[in-house]
Amino acid sequence: MASSGEEPRSGSPGRAGTGTEPAADAAQLDTAEDFEVLEEEEEDDEDDLSELPPLEDVGRPPAPPREDAQPPEQGAGDAAGDPQEWLDVLGNGLLKKKTLVPGQGVDSRPQKGQDVTIRLKATLEDGTVVEEDPALTFTLGDCDVLQALDLCVQLLEMGETALIVSGAKYCYGAQGRSPDIPPNASLTLEVELLAARDAPDLELLSGKEKIQLANRKRERGNFFYQQADYVLAINSYDIALRIVGSSSKVDFSPDEEAELLDVKVKCLNNLAASQLKLDHFKAALKSCNLVLEHQPGNIKALFRKGKVLAQQGEYREAIPILKAALKLEPSNKTIHAELSKLVKKHADQRNVETEMYRKMLGNPSAASTPRKCKDKLPWSIPWKWLFGATAIALGGVALSVVIAARN
């Protein structure tokens, strides 16, 4: 995590710059600047880029060289030497590390959870420099930065300078970063590990520091959400919520308490959105309910709760919730559309249930009603039911006789 007084760098490889996110997608999340526009139902599935290896995997021994391995990118410059010197970090050829200047030994490597400071220079394959930062600080293992950095910096020794060649999957993915990093772009990162220290004690943070730290984690979650990486988005929102909910030995002002609650509500709403994308309905419903405990009239939480219930086929419960949201914002076209769709689905569901009950009860449809028979009973009770009831009654009489005989 960056130092408490440092604001995130918009658009840098380590930060989720709001200025570089697509406007349509940004409207789906709670941002620090403006109110969320509720997203409309999307019929086509978005690409899920969340199946990335866990950070724990980087500690395994390097995989043996593959016969079909490609040589390092030309953007690696003078480091494109002996392929044996490159460490295939994940074993898939998409993330490689090479030491340029040795460090102070394996024991000096940073640990996950520490705040690390690195010198960074990022270039495209053609050598174009897209980022230079003499002192980028972040929390190792919290996914505050590009995955390529988060995965590789924990392998650096103190004082080591290394070259990292990463595929787009561990950088900016299919979206890139406008205007300087195109979609699906590989990056070459020159990194020097400058410092590593324990993260600050959350209990000793001031209200302002805690708010800034939680917001940085939330903004990183927003970045992953825009990248359709909902697993990492959930991870960042969870970290932000842990920060907000941590105990404190410092007194906060009423304004700071209110702002922390606002951050919590935003994180929970965005957490529910991410969980809904992954069809984690139970978790999404819990997140919505936590928002509504604090703000019963929160439109986004009501809307998402209605969507969660609708996804589970609970139209009877979903419709009143969406009506409550619409009452709070009558002009919202998205809620109108969702409510109309659910009302129609509920009507269709009731028709199906009615037809099913009719068949179960043996009631013929109007189109196939046979001619009346004089000997037909006036009730619409199937003969098989009468037969079954008679059998039960006779069985009861027989059982009574047996019991009486034994007595």
Side-chain angles (χ1 to χ4, degrees), residues 27-201:
Q28 296 179 353
L29 292 178
D30 268 312
T31 65
E33 292 79 19
D34 46 28
F35 189 74
E36 172 191 6
V37 177
L38 297 172
E39 71 268 21
E40 296 187 11
E41 182 73 14
E42 297 174 356
E43 295 299 331
D44 54 331
D45 294 331
E46 297 182 27
D47 293 332
D48 186 357
L49 309 178
S50 61
E51 295 182 0
L52 302 179
L55 298 181
E56 288 75 9
D57 286 352
V58 302
R60 63 187 180 187
R66 302 186 308 172
E67 295 181 1
D68 59 345
Q70 298 297 321
E73 319 291 349
Q74 291 185 358
D78 57 1
D82 185 357
Q84 296 294 334
E85 298 179 11
W86 286 88
L87 170 66
D88 190 350
V89 176
L90 300 175
N92 59 9
L94 297 179
L95 186 62
K96 298 180 180 180
K97 168 190 171 290
K98 180 177 181 179
T99 299
L100 300 181
V101 178
Q104 300 173 12
V106 175
D107 292 340
S108 66
R109 288 180 178 178
Q111 302 296 316
K112 287 199 300 182
Q114 287 187 312
D115 285 355
V116 296
T117 301
I118 62 171
R119 176 183 62 80
L120 173 68
K121 179 180 179 181
T123 59
L124 298 175
E125 291 181 274
D126 62 4
T128 302
V129 178
V130 293
E131 187 70 33
E132 284 190 279
D133 194 324
L136 174 63
T137 301
F138 59 95
T139 303
L140 190 60
D142 273 11
C143 298
D144 290 344
V145 291
L146 295 180
Q147 278 199 291
L149 288 173
D150 219 3
L151 291 166
C152 292
V153 169
Q154 57 187 295
L155 300 178
L156 296 181
E157 301 171 2
M158 188 60 60
E160 177 182 350
T161 299
L163 208 60
I164 299 168
V165 177
S166 174
K169 182 175 183 179
Y170 306 114
C171 294
Y172 287 96
Q175 293 190 5
R177 187 188 73 182
S178 178
D180 52 351
I181 300 179
N184 299 309
S186 298
L187 290 180
T188 297
L189 311 172
E190 184 179 312
V191 181
E192 179 184 1
L193 180 58
L194 302 176
R197 60 185 180 276
D198 291 339
D201 188 344

Side-chain angles (χ1 to χ4, degrees), residues 361-383:
L361 296 174
N363 290 335
S365 62
S368 60
T369 302
R371 290 179 297 178
K372 295 182 179 179
C373 298
K374 293 182 180 180
D375 58 348
K376 184 176 180 181
L377 291 174
W379 305 286
S380 302
I381 301 177
W383 285 105

Side-chain angles (χ1 to χ4, degrees), residues 176-329:
R177 187 188 73 182
S178 178
D180 52 351
I181 300 179
N184 299 309
S186 298
L187 290 180
T188 297
L189 311 172
E190 184 179 312
V191 181
E192 179 184 1
L193 180 58
L194 302 176
R197 60 185 180 276
D198 291 339
D201 188 344
L202 295 179
E203 291 187 338
L204 301 179
L205 292 180
S206 67
K208 183 179 179 180
E209 290 171 334
K210 183 172 282 193
I211 291 166
Q212 289 177 343
L213 182 59
N215 268 325
R216 277 198 291 271
K217 304 298 183 180
R218 178 181 62 83
E219 289 165 3
R220 191 62 185 170
N222 292 358
F223 169 79
F224 286 124
Y225 188 97
Q226 308 305 335
Q227 299 290 329
D229 196 334
Y230 307 116
V231 171
L232 289 182
I234 289 172
N235 177 71
S236 294
Y237 295 137
D238 279 338
I239 293 173
L241 288 169
R242 286 200 299 270
I243 294 170
V244 171
S246 62
S247 59
S248 179
K249 297 178 180 178
V250 180
D251 293 331
F252 299 153
S253 69
D255 287 343
E256 289 172 338
E257 292 282 4
E259 196 167 349
L260 281 169
L261 177 59
D262 183 61
V263 175
K264 179 179 181 180
V265 166
K266 288 178 178 180
C267 288
L268 286 170
N269 263 327
N270 293 348
L271 181 62
S274 303
Q275 292 163 336
L276 190 55
K277 289 287 188 180
L278 296 175
D279 294 338
H280 296 171
F281 300 129
K282 185 177 180 180
L285 189 61
K286 180 180 179 182
S287 299
C288 293
N289 286 333
L290 288 173
V291 174
L292 295 173
E293 286 180 8
H294 297 293
Q295 298 178 358
N298 187 287
I299 296 175
K300 292 184 289 293
L302 289 170
F303 178 77
R304 289 204 178 101
K305 183 175 181 179
K307 289 191 69 173
V308 170
L309 292 171
Q311 290 283 356
Q312 295 176 306
E314 304 291 344
Y315 303 127
R316 187 188 302 272
E317 291 79 9
I319 289 174
I321 294 173
L322 290 181
K323 285 182 177 179
L326 190 60
K327 185 176 181 180
L328 294 170
E329 193 171 312

Side-chain angles (χ1 to χ4, degrees), residues 381-394:
I381 301 177
W383 285 105
K384 59 184 179 181
W385 283 26
L386 292 176
F387 179 79
T390 302
I392 293 173
L394 292 176

